[in-house]
Amino acid sequence: MIVHMSRTATPEDQNRVLDRITKMGFKYELLGATGINVVGILGDLSQVPESNFADLCGVAKVMRISKGYKLVSREYSAKSKVIELGGGVMVGGSELTFMAGPCSLESVEQMMAIGAYVAPMGIKIIRGGAYKPRTSPYSFQGMGLEGLKLLATIREKYGLKIVTEATGLHHHIDKDGNKETRNVLENVIEYADIIQIGARNMKSYGFLQELGILTKDCKKPILLKRGDSSTLKDFLLAAEYIVANGNPNVILCLRGIRTFEEEKFQRYTPDIGAITVLKRESNLPVIFDPSHSAGYRANVAGTALAAVAAGADGLLIETHNDPTNALCDGDQSVTEDQLKDIKSKADAIWNLLK
Ligand code: PEP
Ligand code: MN
């Protein structure tokens, strides 16, 4: 529910509203831009009549959000969310955000080589999975905690922020059969600047709840990927799970969906049209992943540029120093030169549209 104060409302009028919200056991958020004050009330207000607030002095109108997704909706906040990562790095701000790196962390040499070409391009966020959700149990499962430590080294060396996936609340078992002491999410919370939640986990509602609760205090941004067969409504409701459980800093990431398209041409179908819908329906930043959507190196640039032209706030791109020998998603990983070309063209489109 949203309470709009009138232009002539005094600070005392607003405090009376806030007081009533608190006394009723709800939390609130101040949403207003300068001038008019807008108060968002958090929680299940389905049984609370609007008149509880509409009758108070200085209240202009009270709006109930009709959609299932509330806190992430445009109705709740007309202002687009900007996520600050520190050091002037932002998602959803005035610059196009680039996140680039390999699908999977493999070795110190690999990450040193990739960091060395990504950072000078002006890319501020490096990606790389330490925990990999593989379709086959026989595929490389990731470096685990050792990989997170490697990411922290790269962050220091190249001054980059890191985005890496948390695959669940289980304890990772390394290649020698040793179980890590803390669960995957706990480890990722400690090391990541942005916590990625993969397409396969978009509908793991228990995990999303725990994630919201466990990141309530640190409020580390969550990059939530769309499930490959999920509707946009389901995607927004998954984001709502995280926000409603305490972490408002969610970034939506489109990564292609399943259609009847044949995998030999495109791994998934890039859901470019969804960018416009999500920007209209939600107040969260929208990032596009052209690598998983397009599936092959040669397709990535076109898809990436289309996403920027369609209004995405940024791109998440897989790149590798030696893509043909990559342990994961080599076919869709672009080379250094391709990444540089995409970056300069994407920035040009962004600047033209701004
Ligand atoms: C990834 O980013 O490497 C990944 C596993 O993505 P998705 O969850 O979109 O398949
Ligand atoms: Mn990948």
Side-chain angles (χ1 to χ4, degrees):
M1 196 177 277
I2 303 180
V3 178
H4 289 261
M5 302 302 293
S6 73
R7 280 173 194 276
T8 53
T10 62
E12 291 73 35
D13 291 337
Q14 179 153 320
N15 284 339
R16 257 190 303 277
V17 172
L18 303 185
D19 209 39
R20 179 159 298 181
I21 297 170
T22 314
K23 285 211 174 94
M24 290 175 74
F26 295 112
K27 290 201 162 59
Y28 60 81
E29 209 180 348
L30 300 178
L31 303 169
T34 48
I36 310 163
N37 292 318
V38 184
V39 184
I41 312 177
L42 314 176
D44 177 8
L45 286 113
S46 53
Q47 303 305 317
V48 178
E50 284 93 325
S51 58
N52 271 30
F53 304 102
D55 292 350
L56 291 173
C57 191
V59 172
K61 66 175 172 183
V62 179
M63 279 170 56
R64 190 179 289 284
I65 300 173
S66 51
K67 295 185 171 135
Y69 44 91
K70 299 181 190 303
L71 304 176
V72 306
S73 72
R74 270 279 170 220
E75 276 174 275
Y76 183 72
S77 173
K79 221 170 33 178
S80 296
K81 182 174 271 297
V82 177
I83 294 187
E84 315 255 357
L85 298 169
V89 184
M90 276 178 244
V91 183
S94 56
E95 272 183 34
L96 180 64
T97 302
F98 281 87
M99 305 177 189
C103 177
S104 170
L105 302 165
E106 297 168 14
S107 66
V108 177
E109 297 69 37
Q110 170 224 25
M111 287 310 289
M112 286 293 177
I114 295 173
Y117 68 75
V118 161
M121 286 183 202
I123 292 173
K124 298 183 182 130
I125 306 169
I126 194 161
R127 62 150 287 150
Y131 300 101
K132 292 308 302 174
R134 304 307 299 275
T135 306
S136 164
Y138 307 113
S139 302
F140 175 59
Q141 302 290 316
M143 289 176 77
L145 184 56
E146 195 194 334
L148 293 178
K149 291 181 179 162
L150 170 56
L151 275 174
T153 309
I154 299 297
R155 169 169 49 203
E156 278 299 305
K157 183 162 170 66
Y158 296 105
L160 294 161
K161 303 288 178 191
I162 53 189
V163 54
T164 192
E165 180 168 353
T167 46
L169 297 165
H170 58 285
H171 294 245
H172 178 77
I173 298 170
D174 72 16
K175 56 186 183 315
D176 304 318
N178 302 311
K179 214 173 195 179
E180 291 182 357
T181 30
R182 289 187 311 179
N183 73 40
V184 168
L185 180 60
E186 286 169 323
N187 282 338
V188 171
I189 290 175
E190 182 184 338
Y191 287 93
D193 295 298
I194 301 175
I195 302 163
Q196 177 172 323
I197 301 301
R200 291 159 188 80
N201 267 323
M202 192 213 86
K203 285 199 176 183
S204 302
Y205 299 122
F207 180 41
L208 299 182
Q209 275 175 327
E210 286 282 2
L211 177 69
I213 293 164
L214 292 169
T215 55
K216 199 184 218 146
D217 295 327
C218 69
K219 297 203 168 21
K220 282 227 168 142
I222 310 291
L223 182 109
L224 177 68
K225 293 189 127 192
R226 179 184 184 181
D228 67 6
S229 305
S230 296
T231 64
L232 289 174
K233 186 175 171 199
D234 287 352
F235 186 28
L236 289 167
L237 284 167
E240 185 82 13
Y241 256 98
I242 303 169
V243 179
N245 279 286
N247 187 347
N249 295 326
V250 176
I251 302 162
L252 300 172
C253 180
L254 293 164
R255 44 79 75 216
I257 51 170
R258 283 205 191 276
T259 65
F260 48 78
E261 192 51 80
E262 289 177 70
E263 257 199 60
K264 67 176 176 180
F265 295 124
Q266 295 190 116
R267 188 171 171 198
Y268 295 93
T269 297
D271 40 352
I272 302 276
I275 297 168
T276 315
V277 178
L278 293 178
K279 294 294 293 179
R280 188 179 63 233
E281 286 293 307
S282 133
N283 57 56
L284 301 175
V286 179
I287 295 290
F288 200 88
D289 169 351
S291 308
H292 291 83
S293 1
Y296 298 98
R297 202 172 306 133
N299 298 346
V300 173
T303 305
L305 300 182
V308 177
D313 295 294
L315 297 168
L316 174 77
I317 302 180
E318 288 188 342
T319 181
H320 201 286
N321 56 321
D322 182 11
T324 42
N325 290 307
L327 293 183
C328 187
D329 287 350
D331 286 351
Q332 66 194 34
S333 298
V334 295
T335 61
E336 173 182 351
D337 286 347
Q338 286 173 317
L339 183 65
K340 198 185 269 175
D341 187 52
I342 294 169
K343 168 96 171 63
S344 70
K345 288 178 178 154
D347 280 336
I349 294 172
W350 175 265
N351 291 329
L352 188 73
L353 295 178
K354 282 292 133 180

